[in-house]
Amino acid sequence: MPSKLTKINSLLLAAVIILGFNTYIVQNKLGFSEFIAEGLPMVIGIIIFAGLIFFGKYDKNIVFDNSYVYYTIIYIIYLIFITSYYIVINDESLLRYIFLYQYLPPLSIMMYANSKYIDINFEFGFFLMAFAASISSVFALGQFFHFIEIVPIDINRARGLSRSTLNYSSLMFLGFLAAWNIRCNFYRFFFMFIIAIGVLCSQSRGALLACFTFIFLISIKKIKFLSPKIIIIFILFLLPLILVLLFLSEFKVYSSASVNELIWRLSNTFNFTSGDNALRSARYWDVINDFHLYGRGVGATGPASGRINPGAVHYESFVLALLVHGGFIGVLYYMATISSILRAIGKGALNIFPYIAAFFVMMTVQQTFETPTVNTMAWLLILLVLTKHLKLNISK
């Protein structure tokens, strides 16, 4: 029988996932503000972590590495200091401190996951996240072919039930990873199939590349390269794209603006001389000029920060944004972070490497992990993955 805490955590987990995948409904259909639509999942996610940290169950078989927690606390204090410095000398808004939320999840995750096994139903979380992504994917498919109008088309890109196309593609990526962790093979591949269609509808090449990276690495880890199973997995993932292309070829629906946009984006994936890729590449190089040894503090990057701080720069990359926040001190912190995580996971590092690689790809080419909803869903997924592997290790 699941404990009372497990039941409470499961209900809170359901709430944050449902709200996270329905930000458009919360804002535009229920009439709440953008801050509520984005902030509710984050607040509930913090409540989940608070409950886990104070009421979790200890296990003597897991060794707690305090060094990472100390690194993170010191780094957060440093970020507060450097952010305060810029707020004072530039007379900027105190709301810049809000963006410290981007650094609370890793602190909570490692404080908890390294010392306790988590009293939460990870199977339920994976299933619900994949289910929510699949529903949003179905709506996105309807938008893509212009027969569902519940969410307006944005620059010919479907966005399911999310507020923006970029948020939507990131959520589809997270849903894809969650679907892989479902125990039942039927539900696993059923959800992955539907979500893969949603990734295509989002027209996000970053999400597509991240999903391919994950499947490729997870397949190499589990089975021999080019064995029948890996071929089947790749076919299942490619099937949505094949079906779309066959549909276009058979019925000649090239007049659709969404279809034309998808074809153009896919065909220009590696074109860095024109289009949005050229702008993204230029911004990547700008980080060299913007990088300070002592950093710029939180709230210094991204479109959301720009509403508070007009001087905020936009890198199209959450990885570069994080480097700019802390400067050289941040680089040292991330190196210590990687070292601590590898030591904490030990022999299980190989099991989560595909997730780390896929996250790195997605965070490198898109900036949406800076938004509260995607950020919250991302670290909740990491929490579920760590819970799964820690419990499996304990049971052995």
Side-chain angles (χ1 to χ4, degrees):
M1 290 290 293
S3 67
K4 184 177 181 180
L5 178 61
T6 301
K7 293 179 180 179
I8 294 174
N9 285 335
S10 296
L11 290 174
L12 291 174
L13 187 63
V16 68
I17 291 174
I18 291 171
L19 288 170
F21 279 87
N22 290 273
T23 50
Y24 180 85
I25 301 297
V26 174
Q27 180 177 350
N28 294 72
K29 299 301 180 181
L30 299 183
F32 292 105
S33 70
E34 170 189 346
F35 297 101
I36 293 179
E38 289 284 352
L40 269 179
M42 182 179 69
V43 171
I44 298 175
I46 291 174
I47 292 174
I48 291 176
F49 261 111
L52 291 175
I53 291 172
F54 289 106
F55 303 108
K57 298 181 179 180
Y58 289 86
D59 189 271
K60 297 179 180 179
N61 296 322
I62 301 176
V63 179
F64 185 31
D65 181 9
N66 288 302
S67 60
Y68 178 83
V69 178
Y70 298 147
Y71 297 152
T72 305
I73 292 175
I74 293 172
Y75 185 55
I76 290 178
I77 293 174
Y78 175 76
L79 286 174
I80 293 174
F81 171 78
I82 197 65
T83 303
S84 301
Y85 170 77
Y86 279 106
I87 288 176
V88 171
I89 65 171
N90 295 330
D91 193 25
E92 295 175 349
S93 172
L94 293 175
L95 293 177
R96 280 189 61 176
Y97 291 120
I98 291 175
F99 293 93
L100 283 168
Y101 76 80
Q102 297 168 352
Y103 295 88
L104 296 179
L107 171 63
S108 303
I109 287 173
M110 296 309 295
M111 282 183 65
Y112 187 82
N114 281 345
S115 61
K116 311 169 187 178
Y117 71 87
I118 302 171
D119 191 9
I120 196 168
N121 190 335
F122 61 88
E123 289 282 351
F124 172 75
F126 288 135
F127 185 90
L128 187 57
M129 193 175 293
F131 179 77
S134 299
I135 295 298
S136 193
S137 178
V138 170
F139 274 93
L141 183 64
Q143 291 173 238
F144 190 81
F145 289 108
H146 303 283
F147 58 83
I148 291 181
E149 298 294 339
I150 187 171
V151 182
I153 303 297
D154 184 12
I155 58 173
N156 302 318
R157 297 170 66 182
R159 59 183 179 186
L161 300 175
S162 178
R163 290 180 53 255
S164 72
T165 57
L166 289 176
N167 284 9
Y168 167 72
S169 65
S170 297
L171 291 172
M172 289 298 101
F173 160 70
L174 297 174
F176 188 82
L177 267 57
W180 174 261
N181 285 275
I182 295 176
R183 184 175 301 175
C184 175
N185 286 333
F186 172 79
Y187 288 119
R188 178 192 302 178
F189 290 110
F190 175 75
F191 285 137
M192 288 177 71
F193 177 85
I194 296 177
I195 296 171
I197 295 176
V199 173
L200 284 173
C201 289
S202 74
Q203 301 179 12
S204 171
R205 294 161 296 189
L208 191 64
L209 179 60
C211 290
F212 266 118
T213 300
F214 176 77
I215 285 295
F216 179 75
L217 293 176
I218 207 79
S219 301
I220 290 178
K221 184 180 74 69
K222 284 184 171 293
I223 50 184
K224 293 182 180 180
F225 187 63
L226 292 183
S227 70
K229 283 189 176 181
I230 194 172
I231 295 174
I232 291 173
I233 290 174
F234 269 100
I235 290 177
L236 283 173
F237 185 65
L238 286 173
L239 190 56
L241 178 58
I242 296 172
L243 290 176
V244 169
L245 294 178
L246 288 176
F247 178 86
L248 300 180
S249 175
E250 182 70 21
F251 296 99
K252 311 294 184 185
V253 291
Y254 288 101
S255 59
S256 168
S258 298
V259 173
N260 288 335
E261 179 76 8
L262 174 59
I263 294 174
W264 182 87
R265 289 181 65 81
L266 291 177
S267 62
N268 286 274
T269 299
F270 301 104
N271 179 8
F272 295 97
T273 59
S274 62
D276 52 359
N277 272 355
L279 177 61
R280 180 178 287 109
S281 300
R283 296 304 297 135
Y284 285 174
W285 286 108
D286 284 345
V287 73
I288 297 176
N289 298 324
D290 295 324
F291 185 84
H292 291 182
L293 289 178
Y294 44 83
R296 289 179 171 269
V298 297
T301 62
S305 303
R307 302 178 189 178
I308 298 171
N309 174 25
V313 292
H314 186 194
Y315 294 112
E316 289 282 351
S317 172
F318 190 52
V319 170
L320 295 182
L322 292 179
L323 292 177
V324 170
H325 289 176
F328 182 69
I329 300 297
V331 173
L332 294 178
Y333 167 72
Y334 298 127
M335 292 173 63
T337 296
I338 295 172
S339 175
S340 296
I341 291 175
L342 291 178
R343 288 201 307 270
I345 297 171
K347 294 181 180 179
L350 186 62
N351 294 326
I352 69 165
F353 176 72
Y355 298 91
I356 295 174
F359 266 85
F360 181 78
V361 169
M362 194 68 178
M363 290 170 63
T364 300
V365 298
Q366 290 192 187
Q367 79 280 2
T368 47
F369 284 85
E370 73 177 16
T371 61
T373 295
V374 177
N375 185 283
T376 303
M377 298 304 298
W379 54 263
L380 279 178
L381 177 64
I382 295 173
L383 169 67
L384 294 173
V385 171
L386 288 174
T387 305
K388 173 183 176 180
H389 289 290
L390 285 172
K391 285 191 174 182
L392 290 178
N393 291 336
I394 291 171
S395 64
K396 291 182 180 179

